[in-house]
Amino acid sequence: MKIKSFIIGALSFVVASTSFARDVWTAEEANAWFAKQPYRAGVNYIPAYAINAIEIWQKETFDIKVIEKEFALMQSIGFNAIRVFLNDLVVNDDPKGFLERFELFLKTADKYDIGVMVVFFTNGGRDDAKLGKQPEPNGTHNSGWKKQPSYKILGDRSKWGHLEKYVRTVVGAHAKDPRIICWDIFNEPGNIRSEHIVGGGAGLTKERIEYLQDCVVEVIKLSSQWARSYDPIQPITYGMWARSPEFKKKFDKVQFENSDVVSYHSYGNLREQILRHKELKKFNKPVFCKEWMGRILGSTYNPILQYHKQNKIWSFAFGLVAGKMETWRPWPHHDTPETKGIWFHDLYKADHTPYCPEEIEYIKRVLKDK
């Protein structure tokens, strides 16, 4: 199918009748879908050329040649899945142009047998996103990442039409697309402070944080409805990430009630992974670990990837090639003399040689039998 005709059809579908909205999958429906899927393992994917999701997708910087080389690198070690962030400003500024680039991205991923999990929103990062030239790295972990939506939009319900347009544009175009393996609509909802990024939650009062968190709860409910209105063939999920009782009380219930499959983040060691899996498998739905792997925290490929595969937990570690995000550097509060020289995230150096060859061989061994 030519890209031009695909985009015309996709945009038409966005504004078409949405009378086939579906409910959240039951455990039986979710497990029936899951039984037909291959085991999935891969990375949270940000091309090395991009410091944030804006730079991944905007016309001026989108680079499919870099992306294809990195997809080939993933396939060479057995990875068959990625989790990738979109951006509300890029999509809504030029929906047609974005969908053309996204189609090229999906076509290339499919060429290398890589399924794509899509993320729309995140509270993580700095609250100063804008289109155009993005900041340069500053020598700290993930310094250029941007919150989406901005708190100016999140905190003003009159502007939520911007969020609805964003979700509907993408899901409406790809609700029946098997190259998409999951809609992960809100990354770490409620993580307003973003303490793992320097300046991520600067200047916010306790009252403002609580108000924004209340807004997030409502956006979870609404965005679930927007996506389901297209009767997508893919599961929808809102990943559980918080461990404190306060956060769990506020977010876990609404996240699970709007999720077809259960997903979580854990940067802890194997024991923490086992505890999280035990906690979540009681829901009797497929379980995805959408973020993990921080070496200095004990979250390492060996032995966690093997545990994920043995327990059929879809596995998305953080990072592939060391690039502008500088996520090989530690979270600021772990940047100590003891951690100096130890990569936090990422598998490959800029020239595509492994940071740790033994790690790569381990991944190949674990994933050789799908």
Side-chain angles (χ1 to χ4, degrees), residues 213-271:
Q213 288 176 338
D214 290 342
C215 290
V216 168
V217 170
E218 294 306 310
V219 169
I220 289 173
K221 297 174 183 177
L222 288 171
S223 58
S224 176
Q225 295 172 18
W226 301 332
R228 291 180 202 286
S229 71
Y230 296 98
D231 187 27
I233 63 172
Q234 312 91 344
I236 290 166
T237 194
Y238 293 84
M240 300 175 188
W241 66 278
R243 302 301 288 145
S244 72
E246 177 186 2
F247 268 77
K248 289 172 70 63
K249 181 179 179 181
K250 192 176 188 80
F251 290 102
D252 276 13
K253 184 173 185 289
V254 69
Q255 288 176 243
F256 176 72
E257 288 176 346
N258 288 279
S259 293
D260 298 312
V261 296
V262 178
S263 59
Y264 71 100
H265 295 181
S266 175
Y267 287 102
N269 58 19
L270 178 61
R271 179 178 178 275

Side-chain angles (χ1 to χ4, degrees), residues 5-28:
S5 61
F6 173 86
I7 299 304
I8 292 173
L11 288 170
S12 299
F13 186 55
V14 171
V15 298
S17 170
T18 57
S19 59
F20 299 103
R22 68 166 173 83
D23 293 330
V24 175
W25 285 347
T26 64
E28 291 75 18

